[in-house]
Amino acid sequence: MSYHLPSLWDKAKMGLIMGGSVGACLGCLIGFYSTMKFGPGPRGYLGTIGQYALGSGASFGFFMMIGSCIRSDADRLSAQDRDALRKNMERWRAPASTPMAVYFARSAKA
C-alpha cells in the first residue's frame, strides 16, 4: 500500500466542500429567521431560504477554499528554503520598541 499526501487541488476541494456545507447551514438558519421576521417575499418560503443558503454557502466556501490553499502552501517549502526565509525575516524585523512608561516620562521632562 502506498499513501500519498493530498495535493493542492485536493485541499482546495476539501475547503470548498467544508466551507460550502457550513455556509449553507448558516444560510438556512439566517434565511429561516429572516422569513419568519419579515415574511417570505415574492419568491416564497423555500425560494427565499434557498437563496440565503446558496449565497452564504458559495461565499463561505470560496473563502475557505482560498484559506486552505494558502495554509497548505507552507508544507511545500524545503528545509533550505525555510531557513533562508527565517534569515530574511530576522533581517527585516523591527527593533524592540521602548516601553510606554519610558516614552511618557521622556515627554513629560521635555
Side-chain angles (χ1 to χ4, degrees), residues 12 18 61 73 94:
M18 286 185 348
D73 192 34

Side-chain angles (χ1 to χ4, degrees), residues 99-110:
M100 293 301 281
V102 174
Y103 176 74
F104 287 124
R106 286 182 191 164
S107 62
K109 291 179 184 176

Side-chain angles (χ1 to χ4, degrees), residues 29-103:
L29 291 174
I30 293 169
F32 182 74
Y33 175 75
S34 177
T35 54
M36 290 298 120
K37 186 169 184 171
F38 302 113
R43 300 182 60 118
Y45 285 106
L46 195 58
T48 304
I49 293 172
Q51 185 177 7
Y52 274 98
L54 283 175
S56 179
S59 61
F60 198 76
F62 175 74
F63 287 115
M64 190 80 161
M65 178 180 70
I66 298 298
S68 64
C69 289
I70 290 173
R71 184 167 184 237
S72 67
D73 192 34
D75 298 341
R76 301 188 180 281
L77 292 176
S78 67
Q80 293 174 342
D81 290 338
R82 267 188 249 127
D83 291 337
L85 186 61
R86 281 192 192 110
K87 287 178 186 174
N88 286 335
M89 287 174 68
E90 288 293 326
R91 184 176 65 173
W92 291 102
R93 179 171 283 166
S97 61
T98 58
M100 293 301 281
V102 174
Y103 176 74

